[in-house]
Amino acid sequence: MQPTGPNAEQIEYWNVQASPTWIAQNARLDAMLAPLGLAAMDRARPGAGERVLDVGCGVGQSSLQLAGRVGPRGSVLGVDISAPMLARARERASAEKLANVVFENADAQTFAFTPNSVDLVFSRFGVMFFADPGAAFANLHRALKGGGRLVFVCWQALAQNPWMSEAIAAIAKHMQLPAPAAPDAPGPLSFADAARVRGILGRAGFRSVAHEPLVGELLLGQTIDEAVDFATEVGPASRALRDATEAQRAAAKASIRESLAARATTAGVRMGYGAWIVTAER
Ligand SMILES: C[S@@+](CC[C@H](N)C(=O)[O-])C[C@H]1O[C@@H](n2cnc3c(N)ncnc32)[C@H](O)[C@@H]1O
C-alpha cells in the first residue's frame, strides 16, 4: 500500500516504523492485549455464522479469535494499512488452518466495503488513527447490516494509563519532548474523551452508543529487562524516543528501568491501564 490518501502519515508509520516492533514483539503484545480484546469480544457476542469486520487487525490475533467464535459458517475480514503486519496475520491463519478469515491491506476509512454486509464491526485498539474519524465511522456504518453491532476497545487518557505516562515522564528528564499532540489528533489516545467519541459515532449514524470502563494491570514483561524494552519500543514512549540520540536513549532507558523496578513482582512487571469498551448499533 502506498502512503497516499488521507491517512498517508499513518500508512507510512505502521508500515515502516511500527511494524518491525509489532512483529518482533508479537507474542508479548498479544499476551498483554488479549484479555482486553477478549473482554470487548464478550460484549460483542460474535455468533455462529456471523460476518465480522476486524478493523486495524494488525498481526491478527483478534481476527483469529473472532474466526473461532463465528465458526466455519461465519467469516472474518481483517483490514489493516500495514502490509508487513498483515503478512504475519496471514501466516498465523494458515498455520491454524482457519479457512474463514481473510485479510485486506486497505484503509478502513476509505475502503469500499460491501454495503449492509457485516453483522459486527470489531476493533482491538485499531480505530484511533483515522485522520477523519467521522468519515471512517460513516464508512464502517455503511458496511454494517441494519441492527448490526459496533464494538471496540480503545485507551482512556494518559492519566489513566501510568504504563504510558511514567515512561514518557522518565524520557522527559533527558530530552525536550515535542509539544503534545492535540487530544483529537490521530494516535493511541485520540479516543480517550467519551463525549467526543459519542459525537463522532452519533453523527456517523450509530445509535445506543455506550462506554464501559475497563481498568486493570498490564503485564509489561516477565523481567525488568523485558519491561524496559517494551516501554521504549511500543506506544507513545517509542514515538517520543524516535528522534533521541544514543546517549539520550540510554539515559531514558536507565530512568525507565528505575521507575519499573518498583513495579516488579514475582508475577512480572505490571502497571495500571484504563481503557474503554465502546458499543453501538446501526
Ligand atoms: C495499536 S495497533 C493494534 C493492532 C491489533 N488490533 C492488535 O490489537 O494487536 C493499531 C493498528 O491499526 C492499524 N490502522 C491504523 N490506521 C488504520 C486505517 N486507517 N485502516 C486500517 N487499519 C489501520 C495499524 O496498522 C495497526 O495495525
Side-chain angles (χ1 to χ4, degrees):
M1 220 183 149
Q2 293 307 311
T4 55
N7 292 304
E9 210 177 296
Q10 294 293 329
I11 293 171
E12 168 82 16
Y13 176 74
W14 288 101
N15 277 273
V16 179
Q17 278 107 22
S19 60
T21 306
W22 278 76
I23 292 165
Q25 301 263 13
N26 185 177
R28 186 150 354 132
L29 280 160
D30 276 351
M32 186 180 121
L33 298 177
L36 289 73
L38 291 173
M41 235 174 261
D42 288 345
R43 300 299 173 281
R45 296 169 171 269
E50 286 197 321
R51 298 179 69 169
V52 182
L53 175 56
D54 187 10
V55 179
C57 62
V59 292
Q61 187 188 41
S62 56
S63 304
L64 306 188
Q65 291 166 335
L66 288 161
R69 294 205 183 191
V70 298
R73 285 188 301 108
S75 63
V76 178
L77 170 62
V79 176
D80 202 286
I81 49 175
S82 173
M85 288 166 77
L86 279 189
R88 177 82 192 100
R90 290 192 181 104
E91 279 170 16
R92 298 171 83 183
S94 83
E96 291 192 23
K97 299 194 172 23
L98 281 169
N100 62 343
V101 53
V102 291
F103 295 100
E104 182 77 44
N105 187 200
D107 181 342
Q109 181 179 320
T110 54
F111 186 70
F113 297 109
T114 307
N116 303 306
S117 64
V118 303
D119 300 287
L120 168 66
V121 171
F122 180 86
S123 184
R124 186 177 94 175
F125 301 109
V127 291
M128 304 91 86
F129 306 95
F130 300 124
D132 184 345
F137 278 96
N139 195 36
L140 297 172
H141 186 266
R142 277 190 291 278
L144 271 177
K145 297 176 185 169
R149 295 103 69 208
L150 168 71
V151 179
F152 62 83
V153 57
C154 61
W155 297 115
Q156 293 187 26
L158 204 54
Q160 278 71 49
N161 282 288
W163 72 278
M164 299 187 208
S165 63
E166 290 196 14
I168 292 172
I171 295 169
K173 290 182 195 162
H174 305 285
M175 59 185 286
Q176 177 81 39
L177 296 183
D184 58 354
L189 300 168
S190 69
F191 272 23
D193 180 349
R196 170 171 189 256
V197 172
R198 249 194 317 277
I200 291 168
L201 297 184
R203 287 189 292 280
F206 287 95
R207 57 190 180 83
S208 309
V209 180
H211 277 70
E212 179 190 335
L214 179 68
V215 296
E217 288 194 325
L218 289 181
L219 176 62
L220 298 191
Q222 291 298 342
T223 64
I224 296 183
D225 279 343
E226 273 184 15
V228 171
D229 284 347
F230 181 82
T232 48
E233 286 175 20
V234 174
S238 77
R239 293 185 192 219
L241 279 175
R242 228 189 299 173
D243 301 322
T245 63
E246 274 313 306
Q248 286 170 327
R249 181 176 288 271
K253 273 190 154 190
S255 291
I256 291 172
R257 171 178 295 277
E258 214 173 284
S259 80
L260 288 177
R263 313 286 179 157
T265 70
T266 49
V269 183
R270 292 171 186 273
M271 286 186 84
Y273 74 84
W276 294 117
I277 295 177
V278 181
T279 55
E281 286 172 17
R282 172 168 180 175

